[in-house]
């Protein structure tokens, strides 16, 4: 099943860096959206109701969407089948 993984992050966020490394180590492809370099990404993350990073959006092939606030390894593992 195809899924799209987008992580909203910022360079100075250590949980963001840890999550990206964890995703890479688990062979999960993702799109990294740095909220500090693109104001559009900041607007998107605020619209999701987030006040901190990382925020991960997982969109399944059928269009269903899960949003994970923070680096919640347990929830990400379940959602990504890791």
């Amino acid at each position: 099943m195809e899924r799209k993984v987008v992580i909203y992050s910022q360079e100075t966020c250590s949980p963001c860096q840890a999550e990206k490394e964890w995703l890479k180590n688990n062979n999960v492809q993702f799109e990294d959206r740095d909220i500090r370099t693109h104001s559009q990404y900041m607007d998107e993350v605020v619209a999701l109701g987030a006040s901190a990073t990382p925020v991960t959006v997982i969109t399944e092939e059928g269009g269903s969407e899960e949003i994970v606030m923070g680096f919640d390894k347990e929830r990400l593992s379940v959602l990504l089948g890791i």
Side-chain angles (χ1 to χ4, degrees):
M1 180 193 276
E2 285 290 317
R3 70 173 56 96
K4 180 178 180 182
V5 178
V6 175
I7 178 172
Y8 292 91
S9 67
Q10 45 191 322
E11 197 172 311
T12 58
C13 166
S14 58
C16 298
Q17 303 313 317
E19 180 177 335
K20 289 187 280 188
E21 187 66 28
W22 181 81
L23 290 169
K24 287 176 192 172
N25 289 339
N26 284 284
N27 299 313
V28 175
Q29 293 187 345
F30 61 93
E31 178 184 345
D32 184 17
R33 295 186 178 178
D34 188 326
I35 66 169
R36 296 288 181 190
T37 59
H38 293 86
S39 61
Q40 172 190 343
Y41 296 157
M42 174 68 93
D43 295 342
E44 290 173 11
V45 84
V46 168
L48 292 171
S51 59
T53 53
V55 176
T56 308
V57 180
I58 302 168
T59 307
E60 296 294 341
E61 191 172 11
S64 67
E65 192 173 83
E66 293 284 343
I67 300 168
V68 180
M69 304 287 185
F71 180 23
D72 185 341
K73 194 183 301 187
E74 186 175 309
R75 184 152 181 244
L76 288 167
S77 293
V78 170
L79 293 172
L80 297 170
I82 297 171

